[in-house]
Amino acid sequence: MHGVDPVILEHEPIQAKPYRPPKRERRRKRPSAPRFRGAGLAILILALITAGAWYAMEQAQLISFETDPATATVHLESPHMMMNGQALLWRGQHVANVEAEGHHPRQIEFQAGGDAPRTVQVTLDPLPGKLRVSTTPETEGEVRVDGEHAGKIGEILEDFSPGRHVVQVSVEGFEMHRQTVEIEGYGQLTEIEISLQKVAEPALLTISSTPEAADILIDGTWRGRTPKRVVLTPGAKVEVALLFPGHTPDRQTLELKSGRQNHAVTLTPRLGALELWPMPANATVRIGGQVELRRQLQLTQRTHTVEVSAPGYVTKKYTVVPHPDTPKQLFAVLQSQAKVEQSRRQKHEQDLGLVFVEFQPRDSFELATTRRRIPVRLTRPFAIMDKEVTNALYRRYRAEHDSGEVFGKRLGRPSQPVVRISWADAALFANWMSGRAGVAPFYRVRDGKIVGFDAQATGYRLPSEAEWVWLTRSGKRYAWGDFMPPPDRFGNLADASASDIVQPTLEGYNDGYAVSADVGSFPPSGQGLYDLPGNVAEWMHDVFLDKLRVSARPETERVNPLGEASGRFYVIRGFSWRDGGRKELSLNNRRYDRDPKDDVGFRLAYYLDKP
């Protein structure tokens, strides 16, 4: 090379070495930089917050409140979060207190929980208003609001609903003041001042009339009945009208003055003719409660009550209004009490399927016993059952009764005559029948016992002994004649069919019944009565008196005899399925007892009218 000296480098000789591959070390993971560690933690926290928020939203609901008034405040007692004017509340029951000035506070309960926001509406009631009334001049007196006492002048009066009210002030010596007031309410005080006007001396008007008790109308308003004193305003003109039924109204205009004044009026009657025709003619007539003997009357044109009554008849009342131009006639036809009772009784008997035969006795006869003959006269009409009382009928009164049997022969079939009852049982049954028929009972009862009878009553009873004798009298020794045996089919007696049960029996007679037969099984008597006598003997109404001594003096005639009021024993008449001897079958034979027998029954009777 030009201008440069060459340099010669000396080198040691290179020594060859054996090849060995380098030893590879395990590479360590390099740690992250600090800023990357902080970012990961933030991401994790954000994810947790987001998940919590979603969970909270699933368990809560946004609630908004709409209040009336809109200025009301809402206080929630539960934990909550406000979001854009809405409360985020957990699912469940919550309580809110709502308040507003001038209103009653209110506490409400509501439920939270749902997917969509919810609005709760709350309306508060306004507080009542207050009122104070003052007057010029200053006075003391009563304040009435809407007609009710509210307090006194000058006091603060409370509890008035918002709106219009009528205020009335009354002070002695001043005119009453009334006005309409608008009360604001909402706890506000409304004040009014009233100017009172003194009043002059009032007009005291005394109103009277002939007749009295006329209605008073002043300017069309009813003010009572005459005589009456009314207080009115002096200086005014008023129309005073007096009205009384059956009279011409009186109307007059009066100019009132201070102090006392009288107004007396005689009202002119409007009369109409009424002609009375009572039946029966001797009936008592009462008009307005007063007995009236005249039959042609002039009555005022108003409503009158006419009552017509007579002994033994049903009282009737009529309402009549006489007319001045058209005379009226009243035909008052009374119905006898006996007929009314008989009508009720007949319906009762028809319902039970019973037949009563009526009789009108008007003659005298002798009531014969084994030792006496008593003259008797019957005058009262009566009715008697055509058959004896059956087991079926008696069980309507006493369902548990059983007439029993004799040697296996039944006495208790429904259509057989009832037996094994005492006299008192029969009399009590008669009273029961009277009650069912709606007629007065014949027998007097105290503590369930017969203590007497009412001879005036037309209720059911047992036949009197005199009636039984009158019905069976024939002038013969026996009911069929003077000789034995009875004709075939005469009645049920002790015959051949009963020979293994009773003794003696009638020879040559067989009625086919060993014991009692069904009622009505044999032909009736000429009066239409069955089994009289025969089948079973029968209780009579009369008390049995043991007076069999023959008297030298003749017996006094007895009219419609019923015997003593009470006694120990009672008469039994007639014969039964047990009787076959001549003495027992005699029409004059009579027995007595009081206790139940298996061959003694009864039938009912009653009077058709009062004596």
Side-chain angles (χ1 to χ4, degrees):
M1 293 182 195
H2 300 292
V4 177
D5 292 336
V7 177
I8 301 174
L9 297 176
E10 294 182 357
H11 298 279
E12 292 181 1
I14 298 173
Q15 298 294 327
K17 293 182 180 180
Y19 174 76
R20 291 181 180 177
K23 186 178 181 179
R24 297 182 65 179
E25 293 182 358
R26 187 173 181 179
R27 190 176 181 179
R28 293 183 180 178
K29 187 174 181 179
R30 298 176 65 185
S32 301
R35 66 175 181 271
F36 293 118
R37 286 202 303 270
L41 181 59
I43 291 172
L44 179 59
I45 292 174
L46 180 60
L48 292 175
I49 291 174
T50 302
W54 279 109
Y55 176 77
M57 291 300 290
E58 286 294 326
Q59 298 298 318
Q61 185 180 27
L62 287 172
I63 303 294
S64 60
F65 294 88
E66 184 178 300
T67 63
D68 182 12
T71 57
T73 59
V74 180
H75 303 280
L76 293 169
E77 297 183 359
S78 307
H80 62 281
M81 180 183 297
M82 299 302 299
M83 300 176 64
N84 296 326
Q86 295 179 307
L88 182 64
L89 293 166
W90 292 105
R91 182 188 302 273
Q93 191 80 10
H94 297 275
V95 177
N97 295 299
V98 185
E99 300 177 349
E101 186 177 357
H103 293 74
H104 289 286
R106 184 178 174 189
Q107 186 179 77
I108 63 169
E109 294 183 358
F110 60 94
Q111 193 78 19
D115 297 335
R118 178 185 168 199
T119 299
V120 177
Q121 295 181 334
V122 185
T123 300
L124 299 182
D125 295 325
L127 290 170
K130 303 177 183 178
L131 175 67
R132 179 159 54 197
V133 178
S134 58
T135 61
T136 303
E138 293 185 2
T139 58
E140 294 182 356
E142 178 192 29
V143 177
R144 300 178 72 86
V145 178
D146 298 329
E148 300 291 335
H149 175 76
K152 295 182 179 180
I153 295 171
E155 294 180 341
I156 295 180
L157 313 177
E158 299 184 348
D159 292 333
F160 296 104
S161 59
R164 292 186 176 184
H165 297 269
V166 177
V167 177
Q168 178 182 315
V169 175
S170 298
V171 178
E172 186 176 357
F174 293 87
E175 293 182 1
M176 183 190 69
H177 181 87
R178 179 183 295 174
Q179 73 178 73
T180 300
V181 176
E182 189 78 29
I183 294 181
E184 183 178 356
Y186 302 98
Q188 300 299 312
L189 175 64
T190 300
E191 297 193 69
I192 61 172
E193 185 172 352
I194 296 173
S195 295
L196 298 177
Q197 303 295 324
K198 287 190 174 183
V199 297
E201 182 182 0
L204 302 178
L205 179 63
T206 300
I207 305 172
S208 60
S209 68
T210 304
E212 293 184 342
D215 289 294
I216 302 171
L217 277 74
I218 298 179
D219 288 336
T221 301
W222 188 81
R223 300 295 295 272
R225 292 186 174 91
T226 59
K228 186 177 180 63
R229 176 181 293 177
V230 293
V231 180
L232 300 169
T233 303
K237 290 184 178 182
V238 296
E239 182 189 67
V240 179
L242 299 182
L243 310 176
F244 191 83
H247 293 69
T248 302
D250 180 87
R251 289 182 173 84
Q252 298 185 42
T253 299
L254 305 180
E255 186 172 350
L256 302 177
K257 300 177 181 179
S258 297
R260 302 174 183 270
Q261 59 189 99
N262 295 322
H263 180 61
V265 175
T266 298
L267 298 173
T268 303
R270 295 197 303 266
L271 300 178
L274 176 64
E275 189 172 356
L276 298 173
W277 293 88
M279 297 177 68
N282 64 342
T284 300
V285 178
R286 289 180 173 84
I287 299 179
Q290 300 297 318
V291 175
E292 180 57 68
L293 300 178
R294 297 171 298 170
R295 295 298 180 254
Q296 293 183 344
L297 308 172
Q298 291 288 324
L299 300 177
T300 55
Q301 188 186 358
R302 64 184 181 89
T303 301
H304 297 270
T305 299
V306 180
E307 179 183 282
V308 184
S309 61
Y313 291 83
V314 178
T315 300
K316 292 188 70 173
K317 290 184 179 181
Y318 302 86
T319 300
V320 295
V321 181
H323 195 279
D325 302 324
T326 306
K328 290 191 174 183
Q329 292 181 321
L330 176 60
F331 292 90
V333 180
L334 301 183
Q335 193 173 15
S336 72
Q337 292 177 344
K339 286 186 177 180
V340 173
E341 287 188 356
Q342 184 69 357
S343 177
R344 287 198 299 262
R345 195 198 314 264
Q346 286 176 351
K347 183 180 184 308
H348 170 63
E349 292 165 0
Q350 289 171 1
D351 292 342
L352 293 177
L354 304 180
V355 175
F356 280 75
V357 182
E358 297 183 2
F359 294 94
Q360 304 279 342
R362 287 291 183 271
D363 52 346
S364 298
F365 59 97
E366 285 187 337
L367 193 158
T369 69
T370 53
R371 298 191 181 186
R372 301 172 64 192
R373 291 184 177 273
I374 303 171
V376 171
R377 182 158 53 95
L378 295 182
T379 61
R380 289 187 69 178
F382 67 95
I384 189 168
M385 283 179 69
D386 68 333
K387 300 181 181 70
E388 293 155 336
V389 174
T390 63
N391 286 302
L393 178 58
Y394 191 79
R395 285 174 191 145
R396 286 175 174 260
Y397 162 65
R398 188 170 290 169
E400 70 277 9
H401 178 75
D402 183 7
S403 292
E405 60 181 35
V406 176
F407 292 104
K409 306 292 185 180
R410 289 290 297 153
L411 300 173
R413 294 194 310 271
S415 295
Q416 283 179 285
V418 64
V419 293
R420 289 197 169 109
I421 60 169
S422 67
W423 180 93
D425 292 333
L428 291 172
F429 173 81
N431 270 16
W432 175 80
M433 283 282 289
S434 297
R436 292 287 299 271
V439 296
F442 185 82
Y443 293 101
R444 295 192 177 103
V445 179
R446 184 184 305 126
D447 298 329
K449 296 182 179 180
I450 305 294
V451 294
F453 59 87
D454 180 6
Q456 306 292 320
T458 58
Y460 293 98
R461 58 177 172 81
L462 298 173
S464 71
E465 185 178 15
E467 290 168 342
W468 190 92
V469 171
W470 183 77
L471 289 169
T472 58
R473 76 194 192 285
S474 64
K476 307 293 183 181
R477 181 176 183 181
Y478 306 108
W480 60 85
D482 290 322
F483 304 100
M484 289 287 190
D488 290 342
R489 300 289 299 162
F490 170 77
N492 185 12
L493 312 174
D495 64 335
S497 63
S499 59
D500 58 343
I501 298 177
V502 298
Q503 288 294 331
T505 59
L506 283 170
E507 294 183 6
Y509 184 75
N510 190 344
D511 55 47
Y513 293 93
V515 292
S516 63
D518 290 351
V519 298
S521 295
F522 295 87
S525 67
Q527 299 101 328
L529 303 177
Y530 295 86
D531 303 321
L532 183 72
N535 209 13
V536 293
E538 297 178 13
W539 288 113
M540 298 291 103
H541 162 77
D542 305 63
V543 171
F544 179 85
L545 296 178
D546 188 14
K547 296 180 180 177
L548 301 180
R549 290 177 299 176
V550 178
S551 174
R553 292 179 298 178
E555 295 277 359
T556 303
E557 184 180 63
R558 304 178 187 181
V559 180
N560 302 316
L562 290 171
E564 303 295 326
S566 61
R568 185 179 179 187
F569 298 106
Y570 293 86
V571 175
I572 300 172
R573 277 285 193 169
F575 40 83
S576 74
W577 57 269
R578 277 189 175 276
D579 297 319
R582 293 178 179 273
K583 178 182 177 181
E584 290 83 3
L585 296 177
S586 170
L587 284 175
N588 294 338
N589 186 51
R590 64 206 293 256
R591 298 156 55 189
Y592 64 90
D593 212 314
R594 61 181 178 181
D595 298 322
K597 302 290 181 183
D598 61 10
D599 68 333
V600 178
F602 69 101
R603 70 181 74 210
L604 296 178
Y606 57 82
Y607 288 120
L608 292 174
D609 58 15
K610 295 181 182 296

Coordinates of all heavy atoms in Angstrom, one line a residue, residues 208-271:
S208 N -158.1 30.0 69.4 CA -159.0 29.1 70.0 C -160.1 28.8 68.9 O -160.3 29.6 68.0 CB -159.6 29.5 71.3 OG -160.3 30.8 71.1
S209 N -160.8 27.7 69.1 CA -161.9 27.3 68.2 C -162.9 26.5 68.8 O -162.7 25.9 69.9 CB -161.3 26.6 67.0 OG -160.9 25.3 67.4
T210 N -164.1 26.5 68.2 CA -165.2 25.6 68.6 C -165.6 24.9 67.4 O -166.0 25.4 66.4 CB -166.4 26.4 69.1 OG1 -166.0 27.3 70.3 CG2 -167.5 25.5 69.6
P211 N -165.4 23.5 67.4 CA -164.9 22.7 68.4 C -163.4 22.8 68.6 O -162.7 23.4 67.7 CB -165.3 21.3 67.9 CG -165.3 21.4 66.5 CD -165.8 22.7 66.2
E212 N -162.9 22.3 69.7 CA -161.4 22.4 69.9 C -160.7 21.4 69.1 O -161.3 20.6 68.4 CB -161.1 22.2 71.4 CG -161.7 23.3 72.3 CD -161.3 23.2 73.7 OE1 -160.9 22.0 74.1 OE2 -161.3 24.1 74.5
A213 N -159.3 21.5 69.2 CA -158.4 20.5 68.5 C -158.4 20.7 67.0 O -158.1 19.8 66.3 CB -158.7 19.1 68.9
A214 N -158.8 21.9 66.6 CA -158.7 22.2 65.1 C -157.2 22.4 64.8 O -156.4 23.0 65.6 CB -159.5 23.5 64.8
D215 N -156.8 22.0 63.6 CA -155.4 22.2 63.1 C -155.2 23.7 62.8 O -156.0 24.4 62.2 CB -155.1 21.4 61.9 CG -155.0 19.9 62.2 OD1 -154.1 19.5 62.9 OD2 -155.9 19.2 61.8
I216 N -154.0 24.2 63.2 CA -153.7 25.6 63.0 C -152.6 25.7 61.9 O -151.5 25.1 62.1 CB -153.1 26.3 64.3 CG1 -154.2 26.2 65.4 CG2 -152.7 27.7 64.0 CD1 -153.7 26.7 66.8
L217 N -152.9 26.4 60.9 CA -151.9 26.7 59.8 C -151.6 28.2 59.7 O -152.6 29.0 59.6 CB -152.3 26.2 58.5 CG -152.1 24.7 58.2 CD1 -153.1 23.8 59.0 CD2 -152.2 24.4 56.7
I218 N -150.4 28.6 59.9 CA -150.0 30.1 59.8 C -149.1 30.2 58.6 O -148.0 29.6 58.5 CB -149.3 30.6 61.1 CG1 -150.3 30.5 62.3 CG2 -148.8 32.0 60.9 CD1 -149.7 30.9 63.6
D219 N -149.6 30.9 57.6 CA -148.9 31.1 56.3 C -148.6 29.7 55.7 O -147.5 29.4 55.2 CB -147.7 31.9 56.4 CG -148.0 33.4 56.6 OD1 -149.1 33.8 56.2 OD2 -147.2 34.1 57.1
G220 N -149.5 28.7 55.9 CA -149.4 27.4 55.3 C -148.6 26.4 56.1 O -148.4 25.3 55.8
T221 N -148.0 26.9 57.3 CA -147.2 26.0 58.1 C -148.0 25.6 59.3 O -148.6 26.4 60.0 CB -145.9 26.7 58.6 OG1 -145.1 27.1 57.4 CG2 -145.0 25.8 59.4
W222 N -148.0 24.2 59.6 CA -148.7 23.7 60.7 C -148.1 24.1 62.0 O -146.9 24.0 62.2 CB -148.8 22.2 60.6 CG -149.7 21.6 61.7 CD1 -151.1 21.4 61.6 CD2 -149.3 21.0 62.9 NE1 -151.6 20.8 62.7 CE2 -150.5 20.5 63.5 CE3 -148.1 20.8 63.5 CZ2 -150.5 19.9 64.8 CZ3 -148.1 20.1 64.8 CH2 -149.3 19.7 65.4
R223 N -148.9 24.7 62.9 CA -148.3 25.2 64.2 C -149.0 24.6 65.4 O -148.7 25.0 66.5 CB -148.5 26.7 64.3 CG -147.8 27.5 63.2 CD -146.3 27.4 63.2 NE -145.8 28.0 64.4 CZ -145.4 29.3 64.5 NH1 -145.5 30.0 63.4 NH2 -144.9 29.7 65.6
G224 N -149.7 23.5 65.2 CA -150.3 22.8 66.4 C -151.9 22.8 66.3 O -152.4 23.0 65.2
R225 N -152.5 22.5 67.4 CA -154.0 22.5 67.5 C -154.5 23.4 68.5 O -153.8 23.7 69.6 CB -154.5 21.0 67.7 CG -154.2 20.1 66.6 CD -154.8 18.7 66.8 NE -154.6 17.9 65.7 CZ -153.6 17.0 65.4 NH1 -152.7 17.0 66.4 NH2 -153.6 16.3 64.4
T226 N -155.7 23.9 68.3 CA -156.4 24.8 69.3 C -156.7 24.1 70.6 O -157.0 22.9 70.5 CB -157.6 25.4 68.6 OG1 -158.5 24.4 68.3 CG2 -157.3 26.2 67.4
P227 N -156.8 24.8 71.7 CA -156.3 26.2 71.8 C -154.8 26.2 72.0 O -154.2 25.3 72.5 CB -156.9 26.6 73.1 CG -157.1 25.4 73.9 CD -157.4 24.3 72.9
K228 N -154.1 27.3 71.4 CA -152.7 27.4 71.4 C -152.2 28.8 71.4 O -152.9 29.7 70.7 CB -152.1 26.6 70.3 CG -150.6 26.5 70.3 CD -150.1 25.7 69.2 CE -148.5 25.6 69.2 NZ -148.0 24.9 70.4
R229 N -151.1 29.2 72.1 CA -150.5 30.5 72.0 C -149.3 30.4 71.1 O -148.4 29.6 71.4 CB -150.2 31.1 73.3 CG -149.5 32.4 73.3 CD -149.2 32.9 74.7 NE -150.4 33.2 75.4 CZ -150.4 33.6 76.7 NH1 -149.2 33.7 77.4 NH2 -151.5 33.9 77.3
V230 N -149.1 31.3 70.2 CA -148.0 31.3 69.3 C -147.3 32.7 69.4 O -148.0 33.7 69.5 CB -148.3 31.0 67.8 CG1 -148.8 29.5 67.7 CG2 -149.4 31.9 67.3
V231 N -146.0 32.7 69.2 CA -145.2 33.9 69.3 C -144.8 34.3 67.8 O -144.2 33.5 67.1 CB -143.9 33.8 70.1 CG1 -143.1 35.0 70.2 CG2 -144.3 33.3 71.5
L232 N -145.2 35.5 67.4 CA -145.0 35.9 66.0 C -144.3 37.3 66.0 O -144.3 38.0 67.0 CB -146.3 36.0 65.3 CG -147.1 34.6 65.2 CD1 -148.5 34.8 64.7 CD2 -146.3 33.6 64.3
T233 N -143.8 37.7 64.9 CA -143.2 39.0 64.7 C -144.2 40.1 64.5 O -145.1 40.0 63.6 CB -142.2 38.9 63.5 OG1 -141.3 37.9 63.6 CG2 -141.5 40.2 63.3
P234 N -144.2 41.1 65.3 CA -145.2 42.2 65.2 C -145.0 43.0 63.9 O -143.9 43.0 63.3 CB -144.9 43.1 66.4 CG -143.5 42.8 66.8 CD -143.2 41.4 66.4
G235 N -146.1 43.6 63.4 CA -146.0 44.4 62.2 C -146.2 43.6 60.9 O -146.3 44.2 59.9
A236 N -146.3 42.3 61.0 CA -146.4 41.5 59.8 C -147.9 41.1 59.6 O -148.7 41.1 60.6 CB -145.5 40.2 59.9
K237 N -148.2 40.7 58.4 CA -149.5 40.2 58.1 C -149.4 38.7 57.8 O -148.6 38.3 57.1 CB -150.1 40.9 56.9 CG -150.5 42.3 57.1 CD -151.2 42.9 55.9 CE -151.7 44.3 56.1 NZ -152.4 44.9 54.9
V238 N -150.2 37.9 58.5 CA -150.2 36.4 58.4 C -151.6 35.9 58.1 O -152.6 36.5 58.5 CB -149.6 35.8 59.6 CG1 -148.2 36.2 59.9 CG2 -150.5 36.1 60.8
E239 N -151.6 34.8 57.4 CA -152.9 34.1 57.1 C -153.0 33.0 58.2 O -152.1 32.1 58.2 CB -153.0 33.5 55.7 CG -154.3 32.8 55.5 CD -154.4 32.0 54.2 OE1 -153.7 31.0 54.1 OE2 -155.1 32.4 53.3
V240 N -154.1 33.0 58.9 CA -154.3 32.0 59.9 C -155.5 31.1 59.5 O -156.6 31.6 59.2 CB -154.7 32.6 61.3 CG1 -155.0 31.5 62.3 CG2 -153.5 33.4 61.8
A241 N -155.3 29.8 59.3 CA -156.3 28.9 58.8 C -156.5 27.8 59.9 O -155.6 27.3 60.5 CB -155.9 28.2 57.5
L242 N -157.8 27.6 60.1 CA -158.2 26.5 61.1 C -159.0 25.5 60.4 O -160.0 25.7 59.7 CB -159.1 27.2 62.2 CG -158.5 28.2 63.1 CD1 -159.4 28.7 64.1 CD2 -157.2 27.7 63.7
L243 N -158.6 24.2 60.6 CA -159.2 23.1 59.9 C -159.6 22.0 60.9 O -158.9 21.7 61.8 CB -158.2 22.4 58.9 CG -157.4 23.3 58.0 CD1 -156.4 22.6 57.2 CD2 -158.4 24.0 57.0
F244 N -160.9 21.5 60.7 CA -161.4 20.5 61.6 C -162.2 19.5 60.8 O -163.1 20.0 60.0 CB -162.2 21.0 62.8 CG -162.5 20.0 63.8 CD1 -161.6 19.7 64.8 CD2 -163.7 19.4 63.8 CE1 -161.9 18.8 65.8 CE2 -164.0 18.4 64.8 CZ -163.1 18.1 65.8
P245 N -162.1 18.2 60.9 CA -162.8 17.3 60.1 C -164.3 17.5 60.2 O -164.9 17.7 61.3 CB -162.4 15.9 60.6 CG -161.1 16.1 61.2 CD -161.1 17.5 61.8
G246 N -165.0 17.5 59.0 CA -166.5 17.7 59.0 C -166.9 19.1 59.1 O -168.1 19.4 59.3
H247 N -166.0 20.1 59.1 CA -166.3 21.5 59.2 C -165.7 22.3 58.1 O -164.7 21.9 57.5 CB -165.9 22.1 60.6 CG -166.6 21.5 61.8 ND1 -166.4 20.2 62.2 CD2 -167.5 22.0 62.6 CE1 -167.2 19.9 63.2 NE2 -167.8 21.1 63.5
T248 N -166.3 23.4 57.8 CA -165.8 24.3 56.8 C -164.6 25.0 57.3 O -164.6 25.6 58.4 CB -166.9 25.3 56.3 OG1 -168.1 24.7 55.9 CG2 -166.3 26.2 55.2
P249 N -163.5 24.9 56.5 CA -162.2 25.6 57.0 C -162.4 27.1 57.1 O -163.2 27.7 56.4 CB -161.2 25.3 55.9 CG -161.8 24.1 55.2 CD -163.3 24.2 55.3
D250 N -161.7 27.7 58.1 CA -161.8 29.2 58.3 C -160.4 29.7 58.0 O -159.4 29.3 58.6 CB -162.2 29.5 59.8 CG -162.3 31.0 60.0 OD1 -163.3 31.6 59.8 OD2 -161.2 31.5 60.5
R251 N -160.4 30.7 57.1 CA -159.1 31.4 56.8 C -159.3 32.9 56.9 O -160.2 33.5 56.4 CB -158.7 31.1 55.3 CG -158.3 29.6 55.1 CD -157.8 29.4 53.7 NE -157.2 28.1 53.5 CZ -157.9 26.9 53.3 NH1 -159.2 27.0 53.2 NH2 -157.3 25.8 53.2
Q252 N -158.4 33.5 57.7 CA -158.4 35.0 57.9 C -157.0 35.5 57.9 O -156.0 34.8 58.4 CB -159.1 35.3 59.3 CG -160.5 34.9 59.4 CD -161.2 35.3 60.7 OE1 -160.9 36.5 61.1 NE2 -161.9 34.4 61.3
T253 N -156.8 36.8 57.4 CA -155.5 37.4 57.4 C -155.5 38.4 58.6 O -156.4 39.3 58.7 CB -155.3 38.2 56.1 OG1 -155.3 37.2 55.0 CG2 -154.0 38.9 56.1
L254 N -154.5 38.3 59.4 CA -154.4 39.1 60.6 C -153.1 40.0 60.5 O -152.1 39.5 60.1 CB -154.3 38.2 61.9 CG -155.4 37.2 62.1 CD1 -155.1 36.4 63.4 CD2 -156.8 37.9 62.2
E255 N -153.3 41.2 61.0 CA -152.1 42.1 61.1 C -151.7 42.1 62.5 O -152.4 42.5 63.4 CB -152.5 43.5 60.6 CG -151.3 44.5 60.6 CD -151.7 45.8 60.0 OE1 -152.8 45.9 59.4 OE2 -150.8 46.7 60.0
L256 N -150.5 41.7 62.8 CA -150.0 41.4 64.1 C -149.5 42.7 64.8 O -148.8 43.5 64.1 CB -148.9 40.3 64.1 CG -149.4 39.0 63.5 CD1 -148.2 38.0 63.5 CD2 -150.5 38.4 64.3
K257 N -149.8 42.8 66.1 CA -149.3 43.9 66.9 C -148.5 43.4 68.0 O -148.6 42.2 68.4 CB -150.4 44.8 67.4 CG -151.3 45.4 66.3 CD -152.4 46.2 66.9 CE -153.3 46.8 65.8 NZ -154.5 47.5 66.4
S258 N -147.6 44.2 68.6 CA -146.9 43.8 69.8 C -147.8 43.6 70.9 O -148.9 44.2 71.1 CB -145.8 44.9 70.2 OG -144.9 45.0 69.1
G259 N -147.5 42.6 71.7 CA -148.3 42.2 72.9 C -149.3 41.1 72.6 O -149.2 40.4 71.7
R260 N -150.3 41.0 73.5 CA -151.2 39.9 73.5 C -152.4 40.2 72.6 O -152.9 41.4 72.7 CB -151.7 39.5 74.9 CG -150.5 39.1 75.8 CD -151.0 38.9 77.3 NE -149.9 38.7 78.2 CZ -149.5 37.5 78.4 NH1 -150.0 36.4 77.9 NH2 -148.5 37.3 79.3
Q261 N -152.9 39.2 71.9 CA -154.2 39.4 71.2 C -154.8 38.0 71.0 O -154.0 37.0 71.0 CB -154.0 40.1 69.9 CG -153.0 39.4 68.9 CD -152.7 40.3 67.7 OE1 -151.7 41.0 67.6 NE2 -153.7 40.3 66.7
N262 N -156.1 37.9 70.8 CA -156.8 36.7 70.7 C -157.4 36.5 69.4 O -157.8 37.5 68.7 CB -157.9 36.6 71.8 CG -157.4 36.6 73.2 OD1 -156.3 36.0 73.5 ND2 -158.0 37.2 74.1
H263 N -157.6 35.3 68.9 CA -158.2 34.9 67.7 C -159.1 33.7 67.9 O -158.6 32.6 68.0 CB -157.2 34.7 66.6 CG -157.8 34.3 65.3 ND1 -158.6 35.2 64.6 CD2 -157.7 33.2 64.5 CE1 -159.0 34.6 63.4 NE2 -158.5 33.4 63.4
A264 N -160.4 33.9 68.1 CA -161.4 32.9 68.4 C -162.3 32.7 67.2 O -162.9 33.7 66.7 CB -162.2 33.2 69.7
V265 N -162.6 31.4 66.9 CA -163.3 31.1 65.7 C -164.3 30.0 66.0 O -163.9 29.0 66.7 CB -162.4 30.7 64.5 CG1 -163.3 30.2 63.3 CG2 -161.5 31.8 64.1
T266 N -165.6 30.1 65.6 CA -166.5 29.0 65.7 C -166.7 28.4 64.2 O -167.1 29.1 63.3 CB -167.9 29.5 66.1 OG1 -167.8 30.1 67.5 CG2 -168.9 28.4 66.2
L267 N -166.3 27.2 64.1 CA -166.3 26.5 62.8 C -167.7 26.0 62.5 O -168.4 25.5 63.3 CB -165.3 25.4 62.8 CG -163.8 25.8 63.0 CD1 -162.9 24.5 63.2 CD2 -163.3 26.7 61.9
T268 N -168.0 26.1 61.2 CA -169.4 25.7 60.7 C -169.3 24.3 60.3 O -168.5 23.9 59.4 CB -169.8 26.6 59.5 OG1 -169.8 27.9 59.9 CG2 -171.2 26.2 59.1
P269 N -170.2 23.4 61.0 CA -170.1 22.0 60.6 C -170.8 21.7 59.3 O -171.7 22.4 58.9 CB -170.9 21.3 61.7 CG -171.9 22.4 62.2 CD -171.1 23.7 62.1
R270 N -170.3 20.7 58.6 CA -170.9 20.2 57.3 C -171.6 18.9 57.7 O -170.9 17.9 58.1 CB -169.9 19.9 56.2 CG -169.2 21.2 55.7 CD -168.5 20.9 54.4 NE -167.5 19.8 54.5 CZ -166.3 20.0 54.7 NH1 -165.8 21.2 54.9 NH2 -165.5 18.9 54.8
L271 N -172.9 18.8 57.7 CA -173.7 17.7 58.2 C -174.2 16.8 57.1 O -174.5 17.3 56.0 CB -174.9 18.2 59.0 CG -174.5 19.1 60.3 CD1 -175.8 19.6 60.9 CD2 -173.6 18.3 61.2

